[in-house]
Amino acid sequence: MIVASIACYAVQSSGVSKLVINEVCSKNVSVFLDEDGTVSDYVELYNDGWLPYLVSEIYLSDDEDDLEKFEVPLNALGPGEYQTIMLDENTPFQISDSGETLYLSWEGKVIDQIECVALKKDSSYCRLSDGGQEWTIRTCTPGGKNTDSYPILSAPTFSCESGFYKDEFDLELFCEDGQSIFYTLDGSIPSKESNLYQGPIHICDKSKQKNVWSMREDVSVGFMADEIYEPPGYCAPDYLIDKCTIIRAVCVDEEDNESEVISSSYFVGFQEKKGYEGMNVLSVITDPNNLFDYESGIYVKGWFYDNSREYDAEQWYSHLWWWQSSNYTQRGAAWEREACLQFFDQDGILILTKECGMRIQGAGSRGKIPRSFNLYARNEYDGSSRFEAEFFGTSYEPQRMTFFAGGDDNLVKVKDALVMSILPERNFSTMDFEPYVLFLDGEYWGCYWLTEKYDDEYFAYHYNVDKNNVVLIKHGKDGIVVSEEEFALYEDMFSYIVSTDLSVDENYQKVCELIDIDSFLEYYAAEIYIARWNDWPSSNFALWRTKEVREDAYSDGKWRWILFDVNSPSMEVGNIEKDSFKEVIERDALFSSIMKNEQCRKKFADVILNMAETEFRPEKINVFLDEFESQMKAPLEKEYARFYGKNNDKSLTFENTLNDLRTFFEGRYVYIKDYFDKDIEVEE
């Protein structure tokens, strides 16, 4: 609001009032929040004159040919006062963090312009003194004196990039004159109390050094063999496991200003090691306390285990040890930890270095090792909310991914990859899978799949819809947070279908307006074919739609289904002739009601028979399993030695599982063909 008693000069009075761009931030992560509590780019204006100034019909732009992109909000600035302007996703432009020219104009004339340079998170390009001519990179002071800021130090540079090296070498670290470098080798954040860099650091095959984090037995209740039913056989490794060298370094000047931390991973002599051929590698570098601290570590039993055991002594179910409350079973933002991730491809080439958030993922599988992680790209970590790499052979740069250890199929890790890989063209959502080996704070930590994560960004990319127009339902309302209005969309659909006589064709046609019937039938056909049971269909289901109906193909407001978590009981030899169709009819009101329509029932039979002859044909399954065995046998044998000791018998489990899958799909093909070749009936 403009105070009427102040006489403000317009822009023409350039001799007594001068409006200038004073400070720019293109990677605001945490220093300045708008009224909604969100962060965004900002530009600070400053009245460098000696009279009050009326900011009226003033524009900001990043395009000299379109100076009036954004009108600066009306304001009155007294001499020496500031106006901070947020440039978020709702404004016509945001500031490129790689640097660009910004223009301040009035009546089509440029009154100030700057060549903004590339910036890192929470740093600003500003005048050294308010209104002055000299520009520099310093800390952010929105709405405050630039002289109160302090220098942004450049991070240390390393003589060798992260990667795989055949021979040992000496690594040199560099900083600017008048600064010192401090570093750590255990993943902790370096400070002045850390190692002072005084000369080259010798990088060798660290596998010859003693095991550290891998020797901990507080990472799962499964280590408590004397107290639990059917212990899994976990043990700390009885040999020196493979390791890489991780280094984190920081520059510190004479005034104790610190640069950002830089992290690197070095693998030496791995060309001679087995179990890595054809595998990507992820090095996770994080403060060990984030993982192993008794109170706050996300990978250990910790305080929550001891407290729950004492509190619920009579309710402690030792035969379900993997469900026992522990630090690693805790969920939510409070249990997200920051880490530096370095992704390497199958040839050992660095794909991406990324500061991100990491949480434990899964349900009962949280109690088992190795366990899965959810990975989150957020602005507050490095100024970017995406993983800026093409991990899955597409242009998709996700905000979230899962580093998946296999869930209930954690020994062989084949079931999800199998079903997802052979059904990508069906009318339901599937995820891409890429094989990885994990190193956790420098130590070998087993085999994983890097997978996509179902969220609004996933549907926006794969279906070309507005991410703000997506509704996702998982396990009903309790599985994922949605608004009452959004959940009502699901309830309305569900209620209509289960309470309406769909043998009446007119009613069935209404159903086809509510759901994508092809998505529904193909999804249920896949689940029924693999004889999934126990945790489905009453749970582990998911579906999505757009809130508003729009012109693009998938913004039609119809519900579509999502395939996930098929690693739990499914594809078992004992269930080759399981009447899954009948069981789902009995257990799933939605499916039961729709199958009462004769036309739809026959269409379902056609769909599942088509799957039998195409995706699930035994010959095609065997091709996948042959390739899986060739690629994953050696890496998984390395994992078995790591978590079960060198003399384990898990390779037999690997072979038996693949043989059982071959047997299942051969027998299931015959059974499904026979079952659905005749007209199937639904009991009233």
Side-chain angles (χ1 to χ4, degrees):
M1 179 179 295
I2 302 174
V3 180
S5 60
I6 299 178
C8 295
Y9 283 74
V11 70
Q12 303 97 302
S13 306
S14 57
V16 293
S17 61
K18 183 181 178 184
L19 187 66
V20 297
I21 298 173
N22 199 51
E23 179 178 333
V24 178
C25 177
S26 58
K27 270 196 176 182
N28 175 23
V29 171
S30 61
V31 296
F32 188 70
L33 281 67
D34 65 17
E35 57 187 13
D36 297 323
T38 58
V39 296
S40 61
D41 302 348
Y42 72 80
V43 173
E44 178 192 79
L45 303 183
Y46 177 70
N47 181 359
D48 193 34
W50 53 274
L51 286 177
Y53 190 95
L54 177 62
V55 179
S56 175
E57 298 180 357
I58 303 293
Y59 292 88
L60 275 171
S61 178
D62 60 352
D63 185 352
E64 188 174 13
D65 296 325
D66 185 11
L67 291 175
E68 297 186 356
K69 271 192 174 183
F70 177 73
E71 185 173 3
V72 176
L74 184 67
N75 200 4
L77 292 181
E81 290 187 344
Y82 312 88
Q83 181 176 359
T84 304
I85 301 146
M86 308 295 287
L87 298 173
D88 58 23
E89 59 182 12
N90 298 314
T91 56
F93 74 98
Q94 291 84 49
I95 309 165
S96 170
D97 52 29
S98 61
E100 64 177 337
T101 305
L102 296 179
Y103 303 91
L104 188 68
S105 67
W106 174 78
E107 289 192 345
K109 299 177 181 178
V110 175
I111 59 175
D112 194 20
Q113 73 179 67
I114 64 158
E115 302 288 337
C116 186
V117 300
L119 295 173
K120 296 182 178 180
K121 67 176 184 178
D122 288 346
S123 63
S124 75
Y125 188 56
C126 63
R127 298 177 189 270
L128 193 57
S129 60
D130 294 330
Q133 296 301 308
E134 185 178 353
W135 287 80
T136 186
I137 299 175
R138 296 176 73 89
T139 55
C140 299
T141 58
K145 295 179 179 179
N146 289 358
T147 52
D148 290 340
S149 65
Y150 54 87
I152 297 288
L153 305 186
S154 297
T157 56
F158 291 12
S159 61
C160 295
E161 295 182 352
S162 295
F164 287 73
Y165 293 82
K166 181 179 179 180
D167 300 315
E168 302 177 6
F169 62 93
D170 289 331
L171 178 72
E172 295 182 90
L173 311 185
F174 304 98
C175 64
E176 296 182 3
D177 292 342
Q179 299 175 7
S180 300
I181 300 175
F182 296 88
Y183 69 95
T184 63
L185 298 170
D186 63 353
S188 58
I189 301 296
S191 66
K192 286 187 67 176
E193 284 68 48
S194 304
N195 302 307
L196 173 65
Y197 176 77
Q198 295 177 306
I201 302 168
H202 188 65
I203 305 298
C204 60
D205 182 1
K206 202 174 180 181
S207 306
K208 301 172 185 177
Q209 300 181 17
K210 70 176 183 178
N211 303 335
V212 181
W213 313 118
S214 56
M215 302 306 293
R216 298 186 68 121
E217 297 188 352
D218 60 346
V219 296
S220 172
V221 175
F223 277 96
M224 303 171 63
D226 295 336
E227 296 188 44
I228 60 177
Y229 179 71
E230 294 186 350
Y234 297 150
C235 65
D238 49 1
Y239 63 100
L240 293 176
I241 63 172
D242 290 342
K243 304 177 188 72
C244 68
T245 298
I246 55 172
I247 298 182
R248 310 190 87 173
V250 65
C251 290
V252 181
D253 67 13
E254 295 176 349
E255 298 178 352
D256 290 341
N257 296 313
E258 296 184 359
S259 73
E260 67 175 346
V261 174
I262 192 77
S263 305
S264 285
S265 308
Y266 300 100
F267 299 80
V268 176
F270 273 67
Q271 70 278 0
E272 306 295 334
K273 302 180 188 295
K274 296 181 179 180
Y276 299 100
E277 186 176 356
M279 302 293 286
N280 305 289
V281 174
L282 172 63
S283 173
V284 172
I285 307 172
T286 187
D287 191 312
N289 286 333
N290 288 336
L291 300 171
F292 305 113
D293 181 74
Y294 175 75
E295 293 185 349
S296 61
I298 65 175
Y299 209 87
V300 292
K301 295 182 298 182
W303 181 89
F304 273 88
Y305 170 79
D306 288 341
N307 186 63
S308 66
R309 187 114 194 243
E310 178 180 349
Y311 181 75
D312 285 333
E314 295 181 0
Q315 301 297 322
W316 196 79
Y317 298 108
S318 59
H319 64 293
L320 296 176
W321 54 267
W322 52 89
W323 282 103
Q324 178 63 25
S325 178
S326 299
N327 283 19
Y328 52 69
T329 66
Q330 306 309 303
R331 299 172 179 268
W335 290 88
E336 181 173 318
R337 301 292 181 263
E338 184 172 0
C340 175
L341 273 54
Q342 294 198 298
F343 297 86
F344 300 87
D345 68 13
Q346 297 176 12
D347 297 320
I349 306 301
L350 181 65
I351 302 171
L352 176 69
T353 296
K354 181 69 179 176
E355 296 288 334
C356 70
M358 182 172 67
R359 304 182 194 177
I360 303 299
Q361 186 270 347
S365 63
R366 287 168 174 258
K368 302 174 183 179
I369 54 173
R371 57 178 58 98
S372 303
F373 295 97
N374 279 334
L375 310 175
Y376 301 87
R378 302 191 191 280
N379 283 321
E380 54 261 40
Y381 293 127
D382 65 359
S384 172
S385 60
R386 294 189 181 277
F387 290 93
E388 305 96 339
E390 297 184 6
F391 292 104
F392 306 107
T394 67
S395 60
Y396 181 41
E397 296 183 352
Q399 289 187 335
R400 305 171 185 86
M401 297 188 292
T402 296
F403 210 54
F404 181 57
D408 288 339
D409 182 29
N410 67 324
L411 280 175
V412 186
K413 313 177 197 291
V414 64
K415 289 185 176 181
D416 281 279
L418 166 61
V419 178
M420 298 285 183
S421 297
I422 65 174
L423 293 170
E425 302 304 319
R426 288 292 176 173
N427 289 307
F428 50 79
S429 300
T430 58
M431 295 180 287
D432 286 321
F433 280 63
E434 290 292 329
Y436 271 79
V437 168
L438 173 64
F439 282 77
L440 198 59
D441 271 342
E443 297 195 354
Y444 171 80
W445 218 268
C447 298
Y448 287 75
W449 294 106
L450 182 68
T451 74
E452 298 166 289
K453 192 168 181 63
Y454 294 128
D455 58 14
D456 52 4
E457 291 285 346
Y458 170 95
F459 296 106
Y461 175 79
H462 287 283
Y463 296 95
N464 193 30
V465 298
D466 179 357
K467 69 176 184 177
N468 297 313
N469 196 28
V470 172
V471 179
L472 172 62
I473 300 293
K474 189 176 182 182
H475 308 310
K477 188 178 180 180
D478 294 334
I480 193 166
V481 177
V482 294
S483 69
E484 293 292 337
E485 178 184 2
E486 291 173 336
F487 190 65
L489 296 172
Y490 170 75
E491 284 188 313
D492 289 345
M493 175 272 291
F494 185 88
S495 297
Y496 178 81
I497 292 177
V498 301
S499 63
T500 304
D501 182 3
L502 299 186
S503 64
V504 178
D505 190 60
E506 182 180 351
N507 295 338
Y508 173 68
Q509 294 306 319
K510 172 64 176 177
V511 169
C512 293
E513 296 174 7
L514 295 173
I515 68 174
D516 183 326
I517 195 66
D518 291 330
S519 178
F520 176 86
L521 295 177
E522 292 181 15
Y523 167 80
Y524 274 86
E527 296 278 27
I528 287 171
Y529 198 106
I530 65 175
R532 189 173 177 186
W533 64 285
N534 188 31
D535 66 348
W536 180 88
S538 57
S539 63
N540 281 346
F541 67 89
L543 58 165
W544 75 280
R545 59 161 282 183
T546 54
K547 286 179 277 191
E548 299 176 0
V549 176
R550 298 178 184 173
E551 291 183 358
D552 44 291
Y554 289 96
S555 295
D556 54 11
K558 292 184 179 182
W559 289 100
R560 292 176 169 86
W561 271 256
I562 301 166
L563 185 68
F564 72 101
D565 199 18
V566 298
N567 58 81
S568 51
S570 65
M571 296 170 271
E572 298 175 329
V573 170
N575 290 330
I576 288 175
E577 296 187 1
K578 188 179 185 64
D579 191 347
S580 302
F581 179 80
K582 181 179 178 181
E583 285 193 1
V584 177
I585 290 287
E586 294 172 348
R587 296 174 58 190
D588 190 296
L590 205 67
F591 187 72
S592 176
S593 183
I594 290 178
M595 285 299 102
K596 289 175 182 176
N597 181 273
E598 182 180 2
Q599 172 190 348
C600 192
R601 191 168 65 250
K602 290 180 178 179
K603 187 174 182 179
F604 177 81
D606 290 340
V607 167
I608 201 168
L609 286 171
N610 179 262
M611 282 187 177
E613 292 292 357
T614 54
E615 292 98 340
F616 287 128
R617 194 169 184 85
E619 294 86 349
K620 184 168 184 177
I621 297 296
N622 288 338
V623 168
F624 175 91
L625 294 176
D626 288 345
E627 293 175 350
F628 179 89
E629 183 174 16
S630 176
Q631 179 181 31
M632 298 299 294
K633 184 177 181 179
L636 284 172
E637 285 178 344
K638 179 179 283 288
E639 177 181 300
Y640 300 152
R642 159 68 176 83
F643 292 102
Y644 298 92
K646 276 194 170 182
N647 296 320
N648 69 83
D649 60 356
K650 303 305 178 185
S651 291
L652 185 60
T653 301
F654 178 85
E655 295 174 6
N656 288 342
T657 298
L658 297 192
N659 289 335
D660 285 350
L661 285 169
R662 298 179 199 275
T663 300
F664 172 84
F665 281 104
E666 288 169 3
R668 193 66 169 171
Y669 172 80
V670 175
Y671 173 78
I672 291 292
K673 287 278 290 179
D674 179 65
Y675 188 101
F676 287 97
D677 265 339
K678 60 182 181 295
D679 185 33
I680 51 177
E681 299 290 340
V682 177
E683 296 180 3
E684 296 294 335

